[in-house]
Each structure stands twice: as structure tokens, then as C-alpha cells.
Amino acid sequence: MGRFLLSRLVDGIVAIWGVVTIVFVVSRLLGDPAILLLPVGATEEQLQQLRAGLGLDQPIWEQYLTFLGGVVRGDFGNSFQFMRPALSVVLERMPATMALAESALLVGVVLGAVAGSMAALFRGTIVEGVVMLLALLGQATPVFWLGLLLILLFAVDLGLLPTGGYEGPASLILPALTLGTFTTASIARLLRSGMLDVMKDDHVRTARAKGLLPGTVFLWHVARNSLIPVVTMVGILAGELLGGSVVTETVFSWPGVGRLIVQAMEAKDFPVVQAGVMVIATIFVVINLFVDLLYGLLDPRIRARR
Amino acid sequence: MALLAIEDLSVGFAREGRFARVIPGLTYGVEAGETLGIVGESGSGKSVHALALLGLLPQPPGRILGGRAVFDGHDLLAMSEARLRDLRGGRIGMIFQDPMTALNPVLTIGRQIAEPLMRHKAMSMRQALDRAADLLALVGIRDGARRLSQYPHEFSGGMRQRVMIAIAISCEPALLIADEPTTALDVTVQGQILDLMAELRDRLRMTMVWITHDMGVVAGIADTIQVMYAGRIMERGPVDAVFANPRSAYTYGLLQSLPHGSRPPGGRLMQIPGCPPDMFAPPPGDPFAPRNPFATPRCHVEAPPLRPVPDSVPGHMVAAWYDLPRLLA
Amino acid sequence: MREVWRALTRRSGWLGLLGATLLVVLVLLAIFGPWLDLPDPTRTNLRARMVAPTLSWFSLGAHPLGTDQLGRDILSRIIAGSRVTLMVAGAAVLLGGVLGTLLGLISGYFGGWVDRILMRLVDIQLALPLMLLALMVVAALGPSLRNLVGVLALVSWVRYARIVRGQVLAVREREFVQSARAIGASHPRIILRHILPNVLTPALVVATLELARVIVLEAGLSFLGLGIQPPDPSWGRMLADGRTYISSAWWIITFPGLALMLTVLAVNLLGDWLRDFFDPRLAVR
Ligand SMILES: Nc1ncnc2c1ncn2[C@@H]1O[C@H](COP(=O)(O)OP(=O)(O)O)[C@@H](O)[C@H]1O
Ligand code: SF4
Ligand SMILES: [Mg+2]
């Protein structure tokens, strides 16, 4: 187990290093940041000065090492917009993003688990049909459109909830629902098919042969065994969730990292973009590390193989 | 009085719009204290009828078409699912063929043995686990207390089957149905499990229905043998009488295919040629007739009833239109 | 063919059939849109701004789905948008598919360090949410149609590479490959003649699943203003523009989104069915 943990940790670090490299390469594709930074009509001398200041006159690999060193120290340079370290600008927005992503995940897991279980328990009935239809629609509905529809319905027409912003729990409801829908739908579908498979397994027949109550059979011998693929799915969905948060935050004017990145892009504030992308990629890697650990907890066979 | 009396049990399966009566109407009884060995090639409806008794038949595709199965004075097929649940794992235990898949891979062995105890004996988890450790010792697994916290993958096939046995006998059932409990195991382990079951049966005074496709296994454990084919009883009677004096061509064939041991003198080692009938299009007469070299013309059009064998011990019954000993002579 | 038909008409198959039908209708609309007698999707008419849908039981009316804030006909714009969307997504999926399949073939066939490096690359890219990667690259290169296709292809190659590699590993040791090798066939010949045919089916399944993903991603980028640029109509952009008028003209955001959802639904249904039909093991999404 210890060795396994270590090797997953190394994998994670390599992945993050890869992301750093991608970010560096992309940032060099931008062309000369010095030209972008200075007002139009700056002199050649001013340009040279700025390039030297940014280290752009160094060979490319040296720039890369400098960049890498900066990332390790958490130094992405100063935000062009805010004139403060980019990382701290990003980290200030983290609580909002985490609140949104966590609520969305909660919505997704709880609703998805309930819906998927219902569909499996009531297979062949209208319940299964309705759940599966909704799940198909949920997977096909793009987040930003869903967000707009919910605003239209609950904020504009019914006036029940705010259209956006970040004031109190009420303003969290619509964004969380919006972002959580895809997760809900995916988990519901996966859990249903997983449970239907498990229900056919021999060990469920054994459980019934023991005379166990239906609730016990379902919880301990069906649901418990269907969790593993769901956990994998949560790891994958975390990516969709973090990516989706960019759009959702924009739709709902939610002051999180996603919206910050989009705004920074429009303002060509690259240090903030880089810091934001790095932070989100790191969260994603950490989540998947947890998912791997969770596997071992859920499945003793996997634990043994490690 | 019979502990279990099955009357005219009839079970079918629907598949792709067609329907097969896999068990066309089965009648037999098991006396208290008796061990009944049910033998037959795979596909002859042995498992299906046992699952149907306990309400474990997957429905759909399966369907119980009729009949009664009176256990201890009550019809299992007519009682509510809740009452049947009280019997399952309590007064009726069941063991399945494949120990590799019959246990839940993600729960500890301890929990899996404790479950029926908590359900039927109103034990707490603590008490049930203590009892589970004793049960492991009873089925010959040493170091039970430690092994309770292990998972099925940490046990060998034979060990897992011992765990299954521990689960099945945990509530000291009056009736134990064992569906090919040794088929999936290798030969040496088979013998050990067989001995263990015989010992437990005697110690707990259980009535037992032992399902197998191996005549040799039946000889070792059963009092009565019942040979089944295509959902019907071909022959039935005390083990000694049937082995010494088989009256159905099918029984005769099964005995011939035994590699060693109790075989009528002069028999050669053989396999019964052909394969069981397609239950979606069953032959009109005796289902075994197409494979039976002794079949008479009547066999092909009319299924014979199960009748006592006139010149044998009481309880020896056969379904045949011909007289096998005369044909063999 | 008969087998395909049987599978399509089975209970689980009619959903796939529905998806395929929807998709065919969409593609036909996209192709023959310009020949339909509809208003010019880019012609503004400030006197007919934000006209509510005129669709009724008996007639289409002048603007069946209404007009937008500049008085452009929404139905024409949706149909014109489907052309752009389907072209961009189709090109991206094709490009990503060819690239991913090729790299997957190489990775699986040669194994060793090539394989290790390529699969590491896959892992790394998967550690970056698609949306962010696409955002960064588009922001860097500028939002042109060509860049958009490139980015979307870049974003989707990994899934092909993974599945194809796995399939190659399964096929590589089979007899026909071994015997081809024994005769002394060259590597490219073995890969193209003997292995490629065996990986096309899974690649096709991935392509359908990717198509849905890429369509949504494109719409998302356009929504953020980084995808398809005006005056080309695009569903994502229409949604972004309509946002401002959400309280006065619900139709501006409703219909383009509906079109987007139906398209994705159609592709998903078809993809699910293809996956179940060809290989249920690909179910890892
Ligand atoms: N789930 C099922 N669906 C359809 N047919 C089944 C099913 N289970 C069993 N059968 C059929 O019932 C018959 C008896 O099977 P079974 O009782 O398992 O045989 P045995 O246990 O004697 O080997 C076989 O013909 C088999 O094809
Ligand atoms: S009844 Fe006829 S077919 Fe059936 S076993 Fe006897 S002889 Fe054979
Ligand atoms: Mg059986």
C-alpha cells in the first residue's frame, strides 16, 4: 500500500509537471508578451528593457527552467491587471469555486445515486423509463444553456432566486443545479446498469438464500458492490465539473477561478491565466489520487493486489 | 411424515418469445432424517426446481406454472414472500455450486456468516461474529477468529465452500439443499467436503437434498437416489437397490459411465451418446427415448409414468415401458 | 446488415435508431439549408427586433422562431449555425481520430519507450480539464475557424489513442499478425494491412462519443466568445448574445440551446447504441 501510494504520488507529480510544460509552451505561442504589455508606440529601447526584465532575452530552455522554478515556489509573476502576485489573486477566488464544485458534486452524487437506484429497483416500470429519459436529456444538455433556462424559469419568470452573484446560500442553488446535472445524469445511468449487472450475480442469490430482508440485500449486496465504477466515474467527472465551472461561473457571474480565468484571458493577463490553470489542474490530480485510494477501501481485491 | 413433499411442481422459462416447460410436473417427497441424492446430466432441471422451491428463481424469465411444495405442513409455493424469507437461511439452508462466485467479494467472511444469525436468531453483530468463529471451526477452518476479518479472495475454492457450508448451517436448518456443492472443486477436496457434510448432517440431524451429476458422489452420501432427466424422474429408490439393479436405461447409462466403483458386473466404461432434448421443442414421448438404444416404439410417443418396480425392494420406482434386466440378459 | 437491422429494432435499439434518424435530419437540414426559402441568417432588420415566434398550429409565419436583438431570423440562424457546428466538429473529430488512431497504433505495436512516453502524454493531457486546455490554446492562437478545429482535434486525440492501443495489444499476438511477421512483412504493412482493420470499429465508437463532446466544447468556447466568430452564426454565440435579453425575449436563448441539445442527444443515442452493439467493454467513458 505504501509503495502504491508513492507511485501514484509520483504519477501525479509527473502529470502536474506536464501541465506546467503545456502551459509554458502555450504561453510562448502567444508571441512576444513585451509587445502586448506595452502601450502602442513604445520605443524599441523600452521593449528591450522589458524583455530583459521578463527574462525573455535568455535562451528558451533557461526561460523554461526559470518558469518551472517559479511554479515550484508558487511564483507566477504579478497580475497585469491587479499588480499583485497572480497566485494570490487566484487563491482568493478559490473558496467560491470550491463551494460551487462541492455543491454540484453533492447534488450529482446524491440525486444520481437516488435516481440510479430507483431505476434499478423498479426496472421495467415507468419509473425506470422516466429516470433514464431524464438522464439522457441531462447528459445532452450543455451547462451554459441549462444555466440560462434555470435563470429564465426561477429568476426571471418566478422571481424565486437571484439571477447570479454571490450572496448567501440562495445564490448557490441555481449554479449548483446547473453544474451538477451532467454529474447526476452520468451517475444515474452508470449506477443503474452497474446494479442491474450485480443483481444477476451469484452472491446476491446467496444473500437472498440467507433470508435477508430486501433492504439488506440491496444495500449490502447490490449497492455496496456497484460503488466501484461510480467512484471511477466521479474521478472522470471531476474534470467535467472543473471545466464546466468555467462556463457556469460566467453564466451566473459567480466570482470563482473559472470566471477569473476567462476575464484574465480577455485582459491578456497571462500570469493569472497560468496560475489559474495550474491550480485547477492540481485540484484535479489530487481528486484522482483520492479516487485511487478510495478504490482500495471499497474493493479488498484491489487492496490485496497493491 | 415427509418433511418436504413436492406435488406436480411445474416450471417454465420464456426466452425470445418462446416458452419452455423445463419441469413438466414433478412429484416426490423427502422423509425427515433422509438424505436424498438427485442425479442427472446438467440441464435436467435440478437447480431450477430447487430454486423454485425457495422462491429464488429469477422471474422473469422463469415462471412457476403450478404445483405444491409442502414443507413442515406449509406450502412453500403458496406462502407470502415474507414468510418464505423467514424460512430461507433459517429452517431451510442452501449451498450453491460455485464457491468462487457465491460469496460477496467485498464483504468480510465474518459479516457474511453473521448475517443469517442476526436475521433469524436475533443476535447482535458481536454475538453473531463469536458464533461465526465457532462455525468456522465446525467446518474445519482453523484460526477462525482471525479469518473472520478476511475477504473471499483470501480463501481457496475448498475453503470458500466450507464458508458456504458454515453459512448454510449457521441457523441449524431442518432441511439442507446442496446444489452440486463439490462439482467445482478438485477431486481430493471433493472427498473432504463430502465427509464434512456427512458428519455435520449426522451431528445436526439434518434432512438433506443433495444435487449432483455424479453417481459416485451419491453412493457416498445418500440414502435414496432419484435420477432426473429433462425435468422428470426416471428412476428412484434406495441407493443400494438402484445401484445393484437399475431399471431405467438412463440410470444404467449413468452407472456405466462411472470410472470405477459400484458398477453392475460386466459393464464397460461408456458415455451416453447424444445430448438432452431442446426444452423449447420437447419430444412427444419419453424425452430420453431418442438417445435410448432400448427404446420401444411406444417410448417415442407416450411418456411412461413412474411406477413401483414389482420385483424389487419397496420404494424402488421406475418410469419405463420396458423391462431392462430382460433386455440386458 | 441484417444483423445490424435486428439489433436496431430490438428494444434497446430503437433509441439508437431514433438518434440516427435525428442526426440524418440535422445533416440534411445543414446541407440543404441554403435552398430552403428562409430569410438570410445574417441580414439585420432593426425594425423587426426581437419579434416573438410566429409559429402556430396552422402556419409558420414570417419568423417561426422569432428574431434576435438585431432582427435576424432565428430559425435561419439555427440552420446556418448547424452547418458551421457540424463542419467544425466533424473536421475536428476526423483529425483527432486520425491522429489518435495513428499514435495508438504506434504505441501499441512498438511498445517500449515509445509506448511509455505516449501514454504518459495521454495521462498528462487527461490531467487538464478539456475546457481549460482549449481555452488556453485558443486564447494564445486567436479564435479563427482553423485554430478552433485544431484545438478541438488536439483535445480529443487521447481517447482514440487509449482505446486503439488497448485493442492493438490484444491483436498483436494473434496468429495472423505473427505469421505476417514471420513472412517478413514490413512494420507499416503489418500495421496497416493486418492491425488497422481490427481497430477501426472501436475507433468509430470513440468517434461518435467524441463528436458529442466536441460539439458541446465548441459551443462552450463560442459562448465565451472564443469559438466561431461573427458574422458566422453559431449556437453558442447566439446563446451568449441572447443572455442580455433573457428577461424580454426568451426565444433567443431557448431555440439555439434546444438545437444543441437535440444534436448532442442524437449523437449520444447513436454512440451508446454503437458501443453496445460492437463492444460493451468500451463502456468506460
Ligand atoms: N435463467 C434461465 N433462463 C432460461 N433458461 C434457463 C435458465 N436457467 C435454467 N434454464 C433452463 O432450465 C433447464 C434446467 O436447468 P438447470 O436446472 O440449471 O439444470 P441442472 O441444474 O440440472 O444442470 C435447462 O434447460 C436450462 O436451459
Ligand atoms: S421410457 Fe422408453 S425412452 Fe424412456 S427410458 Fe424407458 S425405455 Fe427409454
Ligand atoms: Mg445445476
Side-chain angles (χ1 to χ4, degrees), chain A residues 5 31 52 54 61 75 77 112 117 171 182-183 187 204 214 229 233 283 305:
Chain A
L5 200 70
L54 293 172
W61 62 268
D75 177 9
S117 306
S171 59
F182 186 85
T183 311
I187 288 184
V204 175
M233 183 62 122
I283 295 175
R305 234 174 287 137

Side-chain angles (χ1 to χ4, degrees), chain B residues 42-43 45-48 97 179-180 211:
Chain B
S42 88
K46 307 181 299 289
S47 302
V48 165
Q97 171 170 346
D179 187 1
E180 312 218 18
I211 296 172

Side-chain angles (χ1 to χ4, degrees), chain B residues 234 247-250 286-290 292 294-296 298-300 302-304 319-322:
Chain B
M234 306 300 278
R247 293 306 181 101
S248 161
Y250 186 57
D286 183 309
F288 186 57
N292 184 358
F294 305 109
T296 63
R298 190 175 180 186
C299 299
H300 288 281
E302 188 183 349
W321 291 125
Y322 53 80

Side-chain angles (χ1 to χ4, degrees), chain C residues 210-233:
Chain C
E210 276 307 287
L211 186 61
R213 198 194 299 275
V214 165
I215 289 174
V216 174
L217 202 58
E218 181 271 308
L221 286 173
S222 299
F223 180 76
L224 295 175
L226 291 166
I228 296 163
Q229 295 300 303
D232 278 338

Side-chain angles (χ1 to χ4, degrees), chain B residues 13 15 22 41-48 58 61 279:
Chain B
F13 278 102
R15 192 165 33 195
V22 166
E41 281 170 301
S42 88
S44 45
K46 307 181 299 289
S47 302
V48 165
M279 295 308 281

